[in-house]
Amino acid sequence: MSTPTDFPQMLRSAALRVTGPRVAVLGAVHANPHADTDTIIGAVRVALPTVSHQAVYDCLGALTTAGLIRRIQPAGSLARYEARVGDNHHHVVCRSCGAVADVDCAVGHAPCLTASDDGGFLIEEAEVIYWGTCPACARAAEADAAPLAPTA
Ligand SMILES: [Zn+2]
Ligand SMILES: [Zn+2]
């Protein structure tokens, strides 16, 4: 799944003007799934050292509105961005360290969950967050709980 991505072409097909910061931000989100804004700014500055925070925020907003990237914001977490759009996938979030991973749709296509009562709304999407403990944190907790190994 490492087909080279033509970011300028993606911008054009979303009717966005191709600018250096937009190409760099789109590339940074592709390279850093579920990254927060600071991480994206850091990645963009590798290519464009003088880009401002505001320019990156503006690009993230424009790319999100155009549907090229998706913004997720688990409760109590910073906003994060990802390039995997359009498949209505869900996220699992670690309560300890905030790690985020993708979870495929429960059923297959949006909205993958049927509301028991839609209140008359036309429902397009279900956003589900699974909360739990990531493998690294689970291992750390296990190690903490384990009795000290006898020294041989
Ligand atoms: Zn964790
Ligand atoms: Zn995701």
Side-chain angles (χ1 to χ4, degrees):
M1 292 264 291
S2 58
T3 46
T5 317
D6 187 344
F7 299 124
Q9 181 53 39
M10 290 175 71
L11 290 169
R12 271 183 234 109
S13 60
L16 286 177
R17 206 157 49 84
V18 177
T19 67
R22 281 179 179 168
V23 171
V25 170
L26 191 52
V29 175
H30 273 258
N32 302 278
H34 310 128
D36 61 19
T37 311
D38 282 347
T39 305
I40 293 164
I41 291 171
V44 169
R45 284 193 170 155
V46 173
L48 300 172
T50 60
V51 77
S52 69
H53 277 78
Q54 192 56 50
V56 173
Y57 284 120
D58 290 349
C59 290
L60 286 168
L63 295 172
T64 303
T65 304
L68 292 177
I69 61 174
R70 175 173 162 191
R71 181 182 195 275
I72 56 168
Q73 186 155 25
S77 162
L78 295 166
R80 293 158 179 271
Y81 295 88
E82 66 180 339
R84 185 178 163 186
V85 294
D87 66 353
N88 193 51
H89 72 274
H90 308 303
H91 293 101
V92 58
V93 182
C94 176
R95 287 190 193 278
S96 299
C97 70
V100 178
D102 287 335
V103 178
D104 284 339
C105 235
V107 175
H109 48 84
C112 68
L113 302 172
T114 308
S116 53
D117 178 3
D118 62 15
F121 283 63
L122 203 61
I123 295 178
E124 296 162 352
E125 183 181 331
E127 184 178 324
V128 178
I129 294 184
Y130 302 85
W131 293 92
T133 306
C134 76
C137 288
R139 270 196 303 277
E142 215 168 85
D144 277 350
L148 285 176
T151 45

